[in-house]
Amino acid sequence: MRGANLAAAFTVHSSFADIAARYNGFILDQFGVMHNGKHALDGASECVKRLHQDDKKCVILSNTSSLSQSTLDQLPNLGFNPAHFRGAVTSGEEASKYISQTFGQPNNNEKRRNNKALWITWDKQKRPDPLDFFAACGNIDPTCEVEDADFILLHGCQTIRGKESEVCSSLGSFMETGQLDDIDPILKQCQKRGLPMVCANPDFIVVMSDGSTGHMPGANAAGIDSVLITGGIHGEELGPFPSHADLNEFFEREEQYPTHSVPLFRF
């Protein structure tokens, strides 16, 4: 982690062009850097294309619960060319691998398998289809009952789904309001049983940060240069063109400091 004594060492840029020539490749977060979940942010698609033309290697690193290939497949809908990326690493992909390797194997001295998951996920309207993720988890069976579950598979936050993708129960307005009325009693039952949880959508470490304070520690700990997109998640707080002093105050408060900051991911 960069210490407070290095707070003044970050460089403020007006364009990503000032940064691009310094590196051979970039690890990119999605939301707040490349797009807003619906379409590409101003100049981002052209920036990725330019980096590709200049033979810069771009890899997506995201905390999405989607699989890596699903993430790449969604790029055209957001205004990006998948061919401009070397690949994608997602928490959904890593979670599915972990689940496949860890669960579904016979317990020692037991005949039954520990492969029953209380599957908390998205509704059927979600794209990519949650069933694609579940299939990648291997020999896992969903259950609607906490008492039957061997572990919790936290993939989304809208519904609990069972066999043949049946909806066991809705989580109500949690996604929109954060109200825990529907999910809290279920989680308390899980806690009482001591069920382990695998979360496919945690905060993930990135180098191209959208301003979320959870995104820079990994890059700093690894000694990798990082770029803060100030027009990302904290755009309203920081404004379109924050001063060096305002940024310094913000980084000092969050106790994380990037190498560079730039308003948007564009040339």
Side-chain angles (χ1 to χ4, degrees):
M1 182 189 300
R2 290 169 174 258
N5 60 321
L6 293 179
F10 69 88
T11 305
V12 179
H13 305 269
S14 60
S15 166
F16 195 77
D18 301 335
I19 302 171
R22 305 185 184 198
Y23 303 95
N24 296 322
F26 296 91
I27 302 172
L28 305 174
D29 187 18
Q30 292 193 99
F31 195 88
V33 173
M34 293 170 49
H35 60 76
N36 61 4
K38 297 179 179 180
H39 56 75
L41 295 177
D42 186 24
S45 179
E46 293 77 9
C47 187
V48 171
K49 181 179 180 180
R50 174 71 176 274
L51 292 173
H52 175 72
Q53 292 172 339
D54 292 343
D55 200 29
K56 306 291 184 179
K57 300 176 180 64
C58 292
V59 176
I60 293 172
L61 180 58
S62 175
N63 68 340
T64 177
S65 59
S66 300
L67 299 172
S68 295
Q69 188 57 54
S70 297
T71 296
L72 294 172
D73 291 343
Q74 287 294 310
L75 289 176
N77 298 329
L78 296 166
F80 296 89
N81 185 344
H84 294 164
F85 299 86
R86 296 300 179 99
V89 179
T90 69
S91 55
E93 184 77 25
E94 297 306 307
S96 69
K97 291 178 181 177
Y98 175 82
I99 292 167
S100 180
Q101 295 168 1
T102 305
F103 299 96
Q105 300 300 317
N107 290 321
N108 293 333
N109 303 318
E110 294 185 20
K111 295 182 179 180
R112 67 181 294 277
R113 304 171 72 89
N114 62 335
N115 68 340
K116 289 190 176 182
L118 186 71
W119 184 26
I120 304 174
T121 185
W122 308 106
D123 63 29
K124 293 183 179 180
Q125 310 304 318
K126 179 74 173 180
R127 290 293 180 270
D129 192 330
L131 290 176
D132 294 340
F133 168 83
F134 196 82
C137 292
N139 186 26
I140 302 298
D141 291 329
T143 178
C144 295
E145 304 298 331
V146 173
E147 293 302 318
D148 291 335
D150 297 300
F151 70 103
I152 308 162
L153 174 47
L154 182 56
H155 175 241
C157 58
Q158 291 179 314
T159 186
I160 296 177
R161 293 165 71 169
K163 291 183 177 181
E164 299 180 358
S165 197
E166 66 174 311
V167 175
C168 304
S169 60
S170 169
L171 300 186
S173 61
F174 172 74
M175 183 174 177
E176 292 77 22
T177 67
Q179 292 295 322
L180 298 172
D181 296 350
D182 293 292
I183 186 61
D184 196 47
I186 297 172
L187 292 178
K188 285 182 178 179
Q189 292 180 55
C190 294
Q191 182 184 37
K192 187 175 181 179
R193 287 201 59 218
L195 294 180
M197 175 187 288
V198 179
C199 180
N201 192 195
D203 285 337
F204 221 14
I205 297 166
V206 300
V207 173
M208 283 292 300
S209 174
D210 56 13
S212 173
T213 58
H215 288 169
M216 288 186 288
N220 289 340
I224 301 173
D225 287 359
S226 59
V227 182
L228 173 74
I229 304 298
T230 56
I233 290 177
H234 288 289
E236 291 188 7
E237 176 184 359
L238 295 173
F241 300 101
S243 67
H244 192 285
D246 289 340
L247 287 171
N248 188 57
E249 180 181 350
F250 174 76
F251 298 146
E252 186 175 86
R253 183 172 69 250
E254 302 299 334
E255 298 183 346
Q256 296 296 331
Y257 308 99
T259 314
H260 310 279
S261 73
V262 66
L264 290 172
F265 182 46
R266 66 181 180 187
F267 274 75

PDB file of all heavy atoms in Angstrom, residues 233-255:
ATOM      1  N   ILE A 233     -17.356   6.036 -10.149  1.00  0.00           N
ATOM      2  CA  ILE A 233     -18.342   5.941  -9.082  1.00  0.00           C
ATOM      3  C   ILE A 233     -18.390   7.198  -8.222  1.00  0.00           C
ATOM      4  O   ILE A 233     -19.445   7.623  -7.772  1.00  0.00           O
ATOM      5  CB  ILE A 233     -18.055   4.702  -8.212  1.00  0.00           C
ATOM      6  CG1 ILE A 233     -18.361   3.430  -8.998  1.00  0.00           C
ATOM      7  CG2 ILE A 233     -18.871   4.728  -6.930  1.00  0.00           C
ATOM      8  CD1 ILE A 233     -18.036   2.162  -8.267  1.00  0.00           C
ATOM      9  N   HIS A 234     -17.232   7.828  -7.998  1.00  0.00           N
ATOM     10  CA  HIS A 234     -17.182   9.017  -7.153  1.00  0.00           C
ATOM     11  C   HIS A 234     -17.213  10.313  -7.971  1.00  0.00           C
ATOM     12  O   HIS A 234     -16.784  11.359  -7.489  1.00  0.00           O
ATOM     13  CB  HIS A 234     -15.927   8.990  -6.277  1.00  0.00           C
ATOM     14  CG  HIS A 234     -15.988   7.969  -5.190  1.00  0.00           C
ATOM     15  ND1 HIS A 234     -16.805   8.097  -4.088  1.00  0.00           N
ATOM     16  CD2 HIS A 234     -15.345   6.787  -5.046  1.00  0.00           C
ATOM     17  CE1 HIS A 234     -16.661   7.043  -3.302  1.00  0.00           C
ATOM     18  NE2 HIS A 234     -15.776   6.240  -3.861  1.00  0.00           N
ATOM     19  N   GLY A 235     -17.725  10.223  -9.200  1.00  0.00           N
ATOM     20  CA  GLY A 235     -17.764  11.392 -10.070  1.00  0.00           C
ATOM     21  C   GLY A 235     -18.541  12.554  -9.491  1.00  0.00           C
ATOM     22  O   GLY A 235     -18.128  13.710  -9.590  1.00  0.00           O
ATOM     23  N   GLU A 236     -19.680  12.268  -8.855  1.00  0.00           N
ATOM     24  CA  GLU A 236     -20.489  13.346  -8.280  1.00  0.00           C
ATOM     25  C   GLU A 236     -19.784  13.983  -7.088  1.00  0.00           C
ATOM     26  O   GLU A 236     -19.886  15.189  -6.867  1.00  0.00           O
ATOM     27  CB  GLU A 236     -21.850  12.794  -7.852  1.00  0.00           C
ATOM     28  CG  GLU A 236     -22.749  12.386  -9.015  1.00  0.00           C
ATOM     29  CD  GLU A 236     -24.142  12.031  -8.550  1.00  0.00           C
ATOM     30  OE1 GLU A 236     -24.433  12.228  -7.356  1.00  0.00           O
ATOM     31  OE2 GLU A 236     -24.936  11.549  -9.374  1.00  0.00           O
ATOM     32  N   GLU A 237     -19.069  13.176  -6.334  1.00  0.00           N
ATOM     33  CA  GLU A 237     -18.377  13.694  -5.158  1.00  0.00           C
ATOM     34  C   GLU A 237     -17.169  14.537  -5.530  1.00  0.00           C
ATOM     35  O   GLU A 237     -16.929  15.601  -4.948  1.00  0.00           O
ATOM     36  CB  GLU A 237     -17.935  12.528  -4.266  1.00  0.00           C
ATOM     37  CG  GLU A 237     -17.122  12.952  -3.054  1.00  0.00           C
ATOM     38  CD  GLU A 237     -16.626  11.767  -2.251  1.00  0.00           C
ATOM     39  OE1 GLU A 237     -16.929  10.617  -2.624  1.00  0.00           O
ATOM     40  OE2 GLU A 237     -15.930  11.986  -1.246  1.00  0.00           O
ATOM     41  N   LEU A 238     -16.413  14.068  -6.527  1.00  0.00           N
ATOM     42  CA  LEU A 238     -15.163  14.737  -6.889  1.00  0.00           C
ATOM     43  C   LEU A 238     -15.346  15.826  -7.932  1.00  0.00           C
ATOM     44  O   LEU A 238     -14.515  16.727  -8.049  1.00  0.00           O
ATOM     45  CB  LEU A 238     -14.150  13.706  -7.405  1.00  0.00           C
ATOM     46  CG  LEU A 238     -13.664  12.669  -6.387  1.00  0.00           C
ATOM     47  CD1 LEU A 238     -12.798  11.617  -7.068  1.00  0.00           C
ATOM     48  CD2 LEU A 238     -12.882  13.358  -5.269  1.00  0.00           C
ATOM     49  N   GLY A 239     -16.438  15.730  -8.724  1.00  0.00           N
ATOM     50  CA  GLY A 239     -16.623  16.697  -9.792  1.00  0.00           C
ATOM     51  C   GLY A 239     -15.863  16.278 -11.036  1.00  0.00           C
ATOM     52  O   GLY A 239     -15.017  15.374 -11.001  1.00  0.00           O
ATOM     53  N   PRO A 240     -16.105  16.947 -12.177  1.00  0.00           N
ATOM     54  CA  PRO A 240     -15.485  16.536 -13.435  1.00  0.00           C
ATOM     55  C   PRO A 240     -13.975  16.711 -13.474  1.00  0.00           C
ATOM     56  O   PRO A 240     -13.264  15.899 -14.065  1.00  0.00           O
ATOM     57  CB  PRO A 240     -16.186  17.435 -14.470  1.00  0.00           C
ATOM     58  CG  PRO A 240     -16.652  18.623 -13.685  1.00  0.00           C
ATOM     59  CD  PRO A 240     -17.018  18.094 -12.334  1.00  0.00           C
ATOM     60  N   PHE A 241     -13.467  17.773 -12.858  1.00  0.00           N
ATOM     61  CA  PHE A 241     -12.025  18.026 -12.891  1.00  0.00           C
ATOM     62  C   PHE A 241     -11.524  18.410 -11.497  1.00  0.00           C
ATOM     63  O   PHE A 241     -11.246  19.586 -11.220  1.00  0.00           O
ATOM     64  CB  PHE A 241     -11.698  19.132 -13.896  1.00  0.00           C
ATOM     65  CG  PHE A 241     -12.119  18.811 -15.293  1.00  0.00           C
ATOM     66  CD1 PHE A 241     -13.287  19.345 -15.819  1.00  0.00           C
ATOM     67  CD2 PHE A 241     -11.366  17.941 -16.078  1.00  0.00           C
ATOM     68  CE1 PHE A 241     -13.694  19.048 -17.112  1.00  0.00           C
ATOM     69  CE2 PHE A 241     -11.757  17.634 -17.369  1.00  0.00           C
ATOM     70  CZ  PHE A 241     -12.923  18.177 -17.894  1.00  0.00           C
ATOM     71  N   PRO A 242     -11.407  17.442 -10.599  1.00  0.00           N
ATOM     72  CA  PRO A 242     -10.963  17.759  -9.236  1.00  0.00           C
ATOM     73  C   PRO A 242      -9.524  18.259  -9.228  1.00  0.00           C
ATOM     74  O   PRO A 242      -8.696  17.832 -10.033  1.00  0.00           O
ATOM     75  CB  PRO A 242     -11.085  16.418  -8.508  1.00  0.00           C
ATOM     76  CG  PRO A 242     -10.976  15.393  -9.595  1.00  0.00           C
ATOM     77  CD  PRO A 242     -11.643  16.005 -10.785  1.00  0.00           C
ATOM     78  N   SER A 243      -9.251  19.164  -8.338  1.00  0.00           N
ATOM     79  CA  SER A 243      -7.890  19.693  -8.213  1.00  0.00           C
ATOM     80  C   SER A 243      -6.983  18.665  -7.542  1.00  0.00           C
ATOM     81  O   SER A 243      -7.448  17.700  -6.927  1.00  0.00           O
ATOM     82  CB  SER A 243      -7.906  20.972  -7.381  1.00  0.00           C
ATOM     83  OG  SER A 243      -8.259  20.679  -6.027  1.00  0.00           O
ATOM     84  N   HIS A 244      -5.679  18.898  -7.656  1.00  0.00           N
ATOM     85  CA  HIS A 244      -4.709  18.017  -7.016  1.00  0.00           C
ATOM     86  C   HIS A 244      -4.941  18.005  -5.498  1.00  0.00           C
ATOM     87  O   HIS A 244      -4.870  16.946  -4.846  1.00  0.00           O
ATOM     88  CB  HIS A 244      -3.292  18.492  -7.339  1.00  0.00           C
ATOM     89  CG  HIS A 244      -2.228  17.502  -6.984  1.00  0.00           C
ATOM     90  ND1 HIS A 244      -1.831  17.275  -5.686  1.00  0.00           N
ATOM     91  CD2 HIS A 244      -1.477  16.669  -7.760  1.00  0.00           C
ATOM     92  CE1 HIS A 244      -0.883  16.357  -5.668  1.00  0.00           C
ATOM     93  NE2 HIS A 244      -0.651  15.969  -6.914  1.00  0.00           N
ATOM     94  N   ALA A 245      -5.272  19.178  -4.937  1.00  0.00           N
ATOM     95  CA  ALA A 245      -5.505  19.277  -3.496  1.00  0.00           C
ATOM     96  C   ALA A 245      -6.737  18.481  -3.075  1.00  0.00           C
ATOM     97  O   ALA A 245      -6.728  17.796  -2.046  1.00  0.00           O
ATOM     98  CB  ALA A 245      -5.656  20.737  -3.093  1.00  0.00           C
ATOM     99  N   ASP A 246      -7.815  18.576  -3.873  1.00  0.00           N
ATOM    100  CA  ASP A 246      -9.037  17.831  -3.558  1.00  0.00           C
ATOM    101  C   ASP A 246      -8.794  16.326  -3.644  1.00  0.00           C
ATOM    102  O   ASP A 246      -9.274  15.558  -2.804  1.00  0.00           O
ATOM    103  CB  ASP A 246     -10.166  18.226  -4.508  1.00  0.00           C
ATOM    104  CG  ASP A 246     -10.694  19.630  -4.243  1.00  0.00           C
ATOM    105  OD1 ASP A 246     -10.466  20.136  -3.128  1.00  0.00           O
ATOM    106  OD2 ASP A 246     -11.316  20.211  -5.148  1.00  0.00           O
ATOM    107  N   LEU A 247      -8.058  15.900  -4.663  1.00  0.00           N
ATOM    108  CA  LEU A 247      -7.747  14.486  -4.806  1.00  0.00           C
ATOM    109  C   LEU A 247      -6.869  14.001  -3.652  1.00  0.00           C
ATOM    110  O   LEU A 247      -7.064  12.910  -3.115  1.00  0.00           O
ATOM    111  CB  LEU A 247      -7.045  14.224  -6.141  1.00  0.00           C
ATOM    112  CG  LEU A 247      -7.934  14.294  -7.383  1.00  0.00           C
ATOM    113  CD1 LEU A 247      -7.081  14.232  -8.651  1.00  0.00           C
ATOM    114  CD2 LEU A 247      -8.947  13.160  -7.376  1.00  0.00           C
ATOM    115  N   ASN A 248      -5.891  14.831  -3.292  1.00  0.00           N
ATOM    116  CA  ASN A 248      -4.993  14.470  -2.190  1.00  0.00           C
ATOM    117  C   ASN A 248      -5.786  14.276  -0.895  1.00  0.00           C
ATOM    118  O   ASN A 248      -5.554  13.327  -0.136  1.00  0.00           O
ATOM    119  CB  ASN A 248      -3.933  15.544  -2.009  1.00  0.00           C
ATOM    120  CG  ASN A 248      -2.864  15.137  -1.019  1.00  0.00           C
ATOM    121  OD1 ASN A 248      -2.214  14.110  -1.189  1.00  0.00           O
ATOM    122  ND2 ASN A 248      -2.676  15.938   0.015  1.00  0.00           N
ATOM    123  N   GLU A 249      -6.757  15.150  -0.663  1.00  0.00           N
ATOM    124  CA  GLU A 249      -7.598  15.038   0.528  1.00  0.00           C
ATOM    125  C   GLU A 249      -8.442  13.761   0.475  1.00  0.00           C
ATOM    126  O   GLU A 249      -8.600  13.052   1.478  1.00  0.00           O
ATOM    127  CB  GLU A 249      -8.510  16.258   0.636  1.00  0.00           C
ATOM    128  CG  GLU A 249      -9.431  16.240   1.854  1.00  0.00           C
ATOM    129  CD  GLU A 249     -10.334  17.454   1.916  1.00  0.00           C
ATOM    130  OE1 GLU A 249     -10.124  18.403   1.125  1.00  0.00           O
ATOM    131  OE2 GLU A 249     -11.257  17.458   2.749  1.00  0.00           O
ATOM    132  N   PHE A 250      -8.978  13.467  -0.714  1.00  0.00           N
ATOM    133  CA  PHE A 250      -9.801  12.274  -0.903  1.00  0.00           C
ATOM    134  C   PHE A 250      -8.980  11.004  -0.668  1.00  0.00           C
ATOM    135  O   PHE A 250      -9.401  10.091   0.058  1.00  0.00           O
ATOM    136  CB  PHE A 250     -10.384  12.273  -2.316  1.00  0.00           C
ATOM    137  CG  PHE A 250     -11.138  11.026  -2.678  1.00  0.00           C
ATOM    138  CD1 PHE A 250     -12.419  10.805  -2.179  1.00  0.00           C
ATOM    139  CD2 PHE A 250     -10.579  10.075  -3.517  1.00  0.00           C
ATOM    140  CE1 PHE A 250     -13.116   9.652  -2.514  1.00  0.00           C
ATOM    141  CE2 PHE A 250     -11.271   8.933  -3.853  1.00  0.00           C
ATOM    142  CZ  PHE A 250     -12.552   8.718  -3.351  1.00  0.00           C
ATOM    143  N   PHE A 251      -7.782  10.938  -1.251  1.00  0.00           N
ATOM    144  CA  PHE A 251      -6.941   9.750  -1.098  1.00  0.00           C
ATOM    145  C   PHE A 251      -6.474   9.583   0.343  1.00  0.00           C
ATOM    146  O   PHE A 251      -6.373   8.473   0.857  1.00  0.00           O
ATOM    147  CB  PHE A 251      -5.726   9.844  -2.029  1.00  0.00           C
ATOM    148  CG  PHE A 251      -6.081   9.899  -3.487  1.00  0.00           C
ATOM    149  CD1 PHE A 251      -5.312  10.653  -4.380  1.00  0.00           C
ATOM    150  CD2 PHE A 251      -7.171   9.221  -3.982  1.00  0.00           C
ATOM    151  CE1 PHE A 251      -5.635  10.702  -5.721  1.00  0.00           C
ATOM    152  CE2 PHE A 251      -7.514   9.265  -5.329  1.00  0.00           C
ATOM    153  CZ  PHE A 251      -6.743  10.018  -6.196  1.00  0.00           C
ATOM    154  N   GLU A 252      -6.189  10.694   0.976  1.00  0.00           N
ATOM    155  CA  GLU A 252      -5.750  10.629   2.367  1.00  0.00           C
ATOM    156  C   GLU A 252      -6.867  10.092   3.257  1.00  0.00           C
ATOM    157  O   GLU A 252      -6.622   9.283   4.167  1.00  0.00           O
ATOM    158  CB  GLU A 252      -5.313  12.019   2.832  1.00  0.00           C
ATOM    159  CG  GLU A 252      -4.700  12.025   4.224  1.00  0.00           C
ATOM    160  CD  GLU A 252      -4.163  13.393   4.594  1.00  0.00           C
ATOM    161  OE1 GLU A 252      -4.952  14.226   5.093  1.00  0.00           O
ATOM    162  OE2 GLU A 252      -2.971  13.640   4.349  1.00  0.00           O
ATOM    163  N   ARG A 253      -8.085  10.507   2.971  1.00  0.00           N
ATOM    164  CA  ARG A 253      -9.229  10.040   3.756  1.00  0.00           C
ATOM    165  C   ARG A 253      -9.474   8.545   3.537  1.00  0.00           C
ATOM    166  O   ARG A 253      -9.784   7.814   4.474  1.00  0.00           O
ATOM    167  CB  ARG A 253     -10.481  10.835   3.376  1.00  0.00           C
ATOM    168  CG  ARG A 253     -11.711  10.464   4.192  1.00  0.00           C
ATOM    169  CD  ARG A 253     -12.860  11.407   3.914  1.00  0.00           C
ATOM    170  NE  ARG A 253     -13.414  11.257   2.573  1.00  0.00           N
ATOM    171  CZ  ARG A 253     -13.285  12.155   1.612  1.00  0.00           C
ATOM    172  NH1 ARG A 253     -12.635  13.295   1.843  1.00  0.00           N
ATOM    173  NH2 ARG A 253     -13.825  11.960   0.431  1.00  0.00           N
ATOM    174  N   GLU A 254      -9.316   8.109   2.291  1.00  0.00           N
ATOM    175  CA  GLU A 254      -9.552   6.707   1.965  1.00  0.00           C
ATOM    176  C   GLU A 254      -8.331   5.831   2.235  1.00  0.00           C
ATOM    177  O   GLU A 254      -8.408   4.604   2.169  1.00  0.00           O
ATOM    178  CB  GLU A 254      -9.947   6.579   0.486  1.00  0.00           C
ATOM    179  CG  GLU A 254     -11.188   7.366   0.091  1.00  0.00           C
ATOM    180  CD  GLU A 254     -12.425   6.919   0.841  1.00  0.00           C
ATOM    181  OE1 GLU A 254     -12.459   5.756   1.273  1.00  0.00           O
ATOM    182  OE2 GLU A 254     -13.354   7.737   1.008  1.00  0.00           O
ATOM    183  N   GLU A 255      -7.186   6.460   2.492  1.00  0.00           N
ATOM    184  CA  GLU A 255      -5.929   5.762   2.782  1.00  0.00           C
ATOM    185  C   GLU A 255      -5.480   4.878   1.623  1.00  0.00           C
ATOM    186  O   GLU A 255      -4.911   3.802   1.826  1.00  0.00           O
ATOM    187  CB  GLU A 255      -6.055   4.931   4.067  1.00  0.00           C
ATOM    188  CG  GLU A 255      -6.340   5.775   5.297  1.00  0.00           C
ATOM    189  CD  GLU A 255      -6.379   4.954   6.573  1.00  0.00           C
ATOM    190  OE1 GLU A 255      -6.454   3.716   6.483  1.00  0.00           O
ATOM    191  OE2 GLU A 255      -6.324   5.550   7.656  1.00  0.00           O
TER     192      GLU A 255
END
